[in-house]
Amino acid sequence: MSNQSVTLADSIRNIPPVTRFFTISTVIVCFANSLKIIQPHQLICYLPLFIDTFNDTSKVISNSNMMGIFGAVVELLAQSYRFFTCFLLPQGLLTDQPFHAILDIYFFYTFANHLESHTGKFRRNFPDCLWFTLVTGTIVVLLSLLYNAIIDINHFPVHHQMILSCVTYIWSRSSKNSLINFLGLVPIKAYYLPLFNLFFKLLISGYSSFLDSAIGIFSGYLYQCFQSDTLPIYNLFPGSYAKYLTSNKDANGRRVGQLNNNFASLDQSITTAGIDFIEDSIFDKGYLKAPIWLYNLLNYPTNNSKRTTAFYPRPDAASNVSPRSHLDVNENTSTDNLGSGTSTGYSWFGQGNEAFKGKGYRLGD
């Protein structure tokens, strides 16, 4: 019995920290709701609720003394916890469908764990993955509140579904050539998973669920724009950033705005080749580095990785360093011997201050 307990504890500890925290927190909230310890309305982030709270605070301020005003303001500020707890409420919990809640928790754990693992997009870099969560979570909340304020104040946002769609989208871009079975039946490439999910949500759950998933996907896309220093919408046009591509020309040519296979293969799980291979877009490379204050707050080493984008490739893509050496770099080892200059890991364009001087080619060259 004790051996089984140790094994379970070890398995939990092996889950990457951000994924572990959100998964366990969501499970605890679901149990607390089942036991009637808490109610979903205590955790949601909903614009009409904030408006009512603000109006009540305004009335207290206009009719109370200094102590009453102070208490009302503190109570209003205390509602900010909802910006975090709203992500711990799966849709199944809000609609009294426990099985759907379990599925949402499982899918979030699966995709987030893949992103945060040693072989995933963030390569077990805790601060950078946490920064991704903070940035995308903020975008999701702001977009949902903006939609309530401008378009439909009665729309009830399910933020857990939004962040799940965001994580799924980012995973699908970083593992775009992996083959999966949608609903266990339809074999598709991971690249198309968000699109299939959107249509499935619209077909099965209706417009509201479709909208939540769309907001999550759009949040993931905006994060990619931030990570790559590219302009939204503009970066979707072929050739918009062609001059920043690698200088190695493919003998068979390549589409403008795409990276060649040998560069993309360093980060992708490739299951097919040739014409079926989906190459990287300009904003698919790398990830957004966390600010130095977050590294210091977490007491995390600052020389364990370097930011990589299509503008500034990974050290092993620009030199003779092997891919295995790069994996070692990202597993909390020093990168001082990879390329010229030194880096703290916070430069927007990776190592050193010299700009990446790529060459662009016209279509057909």
Side-chain angles (χ1 to χ4, degrees):
M1 185 68 180
S2 60
N3 290 337
Q4 293 179 349
S5 299
V6 171
T7 301
L8 177 61
D10 290 339
S11 299
I12 293 176
R13 279 194 295 267
N14 287 333
I15 301 174
V18 177
T19 304
R20 178 174 65 235
F21 176 79
F22 274 94
T23 302
I24 294 177
S25 298
T26 305
V27 171
I28 291 175
V29 166
C30 290
F31 273 113
N33 177 75
S34 299
L35 297 174
K36 307 299 181 183
I37 298 175
I38 60 173
Q39 298 295 327
H41 70 83
Q42 297 174 303
L43 307 178
I44 62 174
C45 180
Y46 188 36
L47 184 60
L49 185 144
F50 287 124
I51 293 176
D52 292 340
T53 304
F54 180 79
N55 291 336
D56 293 340
T57 303
S58 299
K59 292 178 181 178
V60 172
I61 291 176
S62 60
N63 300 320
S64 298
N65 55 22
M66 188 61 67
M67 289 300 297
I69 294 174
F70 177 77
V73 172
V74 170
E75 183 179 356
L76 178 63
L77 295 177
Q79 296 296 314
S80 60
Y81 74 87
R82 296 177 181 272
F83 292 110
F84 165 73
T85 57
C86 64
F87 293 106
L88 307 179
L89 296 170
Q91 185 177 23
L93 182 67
L94 299 171
T95 58
D96 197 23
Q97 296 176 309
F99 181 71
H100 288 175
I102 294 174
L103 287 180
D104 283 346
I105 295 173
Y106 170 75
F107 286 133
F108 178 85
Y109 162 79
T110 300
F111 292 119
N113 187 36
H114 277 238
L115 284 177
E116 199 178 355
S117 67
H118 284 298
T119 57
K121 182 180 182 70
F122 296 100
R123 293 183 173 86
R124 204 85 178 199
N125 190 306
F126 178 35
D128 292 338
C129 186
L130 178 60
W131 188 243
F132 156 76
T133 307
L134 294 175
V135 171
T136 54
T138 301
I139 296 174
V140 160
V141 170
L142 291 179
L143 288 179
S144 63
L145 293 177
L146 191 64
Y147 182 86
N148 280 146
I150 297 178
I151 301 178
D152 183 9
I153 197 170
N154 295 317
H155 171 72
F156 184 80
V158 182
H159 292 93
H160 185 277
Q161 182 170 312
M162 294 179 184
I163 200 67
L164 171 59
S165 297
C166 177
V167 169
T168 303
Y169 170 77
I170 295 296
W171 175 84
S172 71
R173 301 296 306 203
S174 61
S175 304
K176 58 174 66 67
N177 286 287
S178 298
L179 291 177
I180 61 174
N181 289 323
F182 183 71
L183 300 180
L185 300 173
V186 183
I188 61 172
K189 283 197 172 185
Y191 181 84
Y192 302 108
L193 179 60
L195 184 62
F196 273 70
N197 280 338
L198 274 181
F199 282 105
F200 183 77
K201 292 290 185 182
L202 183 61
L203 180 66
I204 302 299
S205 303
Y207 174 77
S208 180
S209 183
F210 168 84
L211 177 65
D212 290 339
S213 296
I215 290 177
I217 291 173
F218 186 65
S219 300
Y221 167 68
L222 289 181
Y223 170 82
Q224 285 188 311
C225 296
F226 294 146
Q227 78 172 28
S228 59
D229 297 323
T230 58
L231 295 176
I233 307 302
Y234 177 70
N235 57 22
L236 297 177
F237 290 98
S240 55
Y241 291 96
K243 66 180 180 179
Y244 295 106
L245 298 178
T246 56
S247 58
N248 298 323
K249 295 181 63 177
D250 192 340
N252 297 320
R254 67 172 185 273
R255 290 173 292 167
V256 175
Q258 302 290 320
L259 302 177
N260 25 349
N261 293 8
N262 59 349
F263 186 61
S265 64
L266 296 172
D267 276 334
Q268 306 296 330
S269 175
I270 301 175
T271 56
T272 57
I275 194 171
D276 293 330
F277 181 83
I278 302 175
E279 299 174 350
D280 276 336
S281 296
I282 195 71
F283 51 81
D284 279 340
K285 301 299 296 181
Y287 51 80
L288 190 62
K289 295 295 295 181
I292 192 170
W293 62 262
L294 185 58
Y295 271 81
N296 293 335
L297 179 64
L298 299 174
N299 195 27
Y300 201 85
T302 60
N303 63 344
N304 67 316
S305 67
K306 299 179 181 182
R307 187 182 182 208
T308 59
T309 68
F311 300 97
Y312 205 103
R314 281 167 43 185
D316 53 342
S319 63
N320 295 324
V321 181
S322 66
R324 178 61 238 177
S325 299
H326 177 72
L327 291 180
D328 293 336
V329 167
N330 286 283
E331 296 174 6
N332 301 331
T333 59
S334 174
T335 57
D336 291 341
N337 61 336
L338 300 181
S340 61
T342 59
S343 171
T344 61
Y346 304 103
S347 169
W348 291 120
F349 294 99
Q351 44 182 323
N353 297 321
E354 184 181 356
F356 172 61
K357 300 176 181 178
K359 296 181 180 179
Y361 299 95
R362 292 177 299 177
L363 187 63
D365 284 355

